Amino acid sequence: MSTGDIKYLIPADGDELWGLTVTGVGSQVITADEVYPPQNHPQGYFFDVEEGRVLDEFQLLYITDGEGMFTYGEPRVSQRIEEGKMFFLFPGVWHTYRPFENSGWKEYWIGFKGEMIDRLVASGYFSACSPVFDIGLNERIIDLYLKARDIANEDRIGAQPALSGIVMHLLGLMYYRQKSSVLHDEDIIGKVDKAKVVMRENVYENLSPQEVAERVGLGYSGFRKAFREYAGTSPAQYMKELKINEAKLLLATTNTTIKEISYHLKYDNPEYFSISFKRRTGKTPLEYRNFARIKKGTE
């Protein structure tokens, strides 16, 4: 069965003055042999993959696992979509897409509209004739989608300016990575980027660096050397940092107990978690939670 987190938004009066408003954001894991799309989208967004659809907004989809097919425009142009590819849906342009039945896929998506994106398209930065971007797997892009999802789920007044900033950041990174050709070993860089994504998406699992290396198709010694060279730290340390950052988020934004956070993040025990957390942040988990709440209350 698919899993996902989807949020549709209704912009408030005046939000359009920012030049860009977000209409929805989410992520979904589609398993092999599952009917696509799942029945969790409202009218106007749900579509029959055989008939396709036309939207009145832009959407940006990023595939981080699996593969499928994207068909768009007149005449019908089809492109294979694999992990690391992002594709753009344009308003008024017919399209359809789906994962292959034998693979499924993991997708992140965000919908938006406004004068700002219209201006970028009119200036030639993005075109409905070239809507697929091969940008590779990139943890920063996933983090932006997740941040947008978190802001949307909070559903607070004033969220749209923050969401519009995230969309512009996504568009800038997408454009830059598509155009950039400075990396001298694309294959290794791609595997390091994929490893970072695997670590980020499995932060709640007890995944070893050796298992990560195996998933990206590298021997561990070569993987460790490449990862340190391009990421500036070892795979094991990077995974520790991801868990600490996730713990900081949970401490600051939820009432989950310290013991439960330790359990969810697969630490050996709460005492070891507290020691590791203080060593990295200078505060115990409880001190950090109190500090974060005081800081939030003064903003």
Side-chain angles (χ1 to χ4, degrees):
M1 295 294 292
S2 67
T3 59
D5 189 352
I6 296 171
K7 178 73 174 181
Y8 289 95
L9 301 166
I10 301 176
D13 292 342
D15 282 340
E16 72 279 358
L17 297 177
W18 283 91
L20 191 150
T21 54
V22 170
T23 55
V25 60
S27 63
Q28 294 185 132
V29 178
I30 308 300
T31 58
D33 299 320
E34 182 178 357
V35 174
Y36 185 83
Q39 304 282 329
N40 55 350
H41 298 276
Q43 186 175 4
Y45 289 95
F46 181 81
F47 69 103
D48 185 315
V49 294
E50 300 297 336
E51 296 181 3
R53 68 176 176 186
V54 176
L55 292 172
D56 64 354
E57 64 183 49
F58 294 89
Q59 286 192 8
L60 198 55
L61 292 93
Y62 185 40
I63 305 304
T64 62
D65 191 28
E67 54 187 349
M69 193 65 69
F70 170 45
T71 305
Y72 59 92
E74 296 289 350
R76 306 293 199 240
V77 177
S78 294
Q79 287 191 241
R80 190 183 184 96
I81 302 295
E82 303 99 2
E83 61 179 40
K85 286 192 175 181
M86 185 175 278
F87 57 102
F88 222 151
L89 308 181
F90 286 74
V93 177
W94 179 91
H95 62 264
T96 187
Y97 54 90
R98 71 173 95 184
F100 293 141
E101 290 184 0
N102 63 349
S103 69
W105 70 19
K106 182 164 188 178
E107 66 179 45
Y108 296 85
W109 65 271
I110 191 164
F112 49 94
K113 60 175 65 177
E115 294 179 358
M116 194 177 298
I117 181 60
D118 291 340
R119 189 161 55 248
L120 289 173
V121 171
S123 298
Y125 285 99
F126 306 106
S127 169
C129 296
S130 303
V132 178
F133 292 75
D134 189 1
I135 61 173
L137 290 170
N138 185 277
E139 184 195 14
R140 188 184 307 175
I141 290 174
I142 291 175
D143 282 340
L144 287 170
Y145 274 104
L146 294 177
K147 182 62 175 177
R149 181 204 63 190
D150 291 344
I151 292 173
N153 283 333
E154 289 177 359
D155 201 19
R156 295 183 180 180
I157 295 175
Q160 283 293 340
L163 290 170
S164 68
I166 289 174
V167 169
M168 290 304 297
H169 197 168
L170 276 170
L171 292 171
L173 282 174
M174 179 182 75
Y175 185 82
Y176 165 74
R177 288 185 66 84
Q178 176 80 349
K179 297 296 184 182
S180 175
S181 59
V182 299
L183 298 177
H184 64 277
D185 192 335
E186 295 289 347
D187 182 58
I188 293 297
I189 289 293
K191 292 188 181 216
V192 170
D193 282 341
K194 181 175 181 178
K196 291 165 75 173
V197 169
V198 168
M199 294 177 191
R200 180 66 181 82
E201 292 184 341
N202 290 277
V203 69
Y204 287 97
E205 302 301 325
N206 196 16
L207 198 64
S208 72
Q210 289 82 1
E211 289 174 308
V212 176
E214 184 177 350
R215 289 197 188 188
V216 301
L218 288 174
Y220 179 64
S221 60
F223 167 67
R224 188 178 186 280
K225 180 180 179 182
F227 194 95
R228 181 177 287 279
E229 179 179 354
Y230 293 112
T233 187
S234 70
Q237 187 60 38
Y238 189 84
M239 294 171 73
K240 289 178 182 178
E241 290 297 318
L242 285 177
K243 287 184 180 290
I244 291 296
N245 288 338
E246 193 70 12
K248 289 166 69 175
L249 178 64
L250 293 172
L251 288 166
T253 61
T254 75
N255 292 320
T256 308
T257 67
I258 293 168
K259 184 176 181 180
E260 288 174 329
I261 291 174
S262 170
Y263 172 77
H264 291 321
L265 290 172
K266 300 297 189 292
Y267 281 88
D268 291 337
N269 55 65
E271 291 76 17
Y272 178 68
F273 165 62
S274 296
I275 292 170
S276 298
F277 190 90
K278 185 171 183 179
R279 184 182 298 126
R280 178 65 185 86
T281 67
K283 293 180 173 65
T284 66
L286 182 57
E287 289 171 342
Y288 183 87
R289 169 167 275 169
N290 292 335
F291 167 78
R293 290 181 175 178
I294 291 172
K295 182 179 179 182
K296 186 175 182 180
T298 60
E299 291 178 348

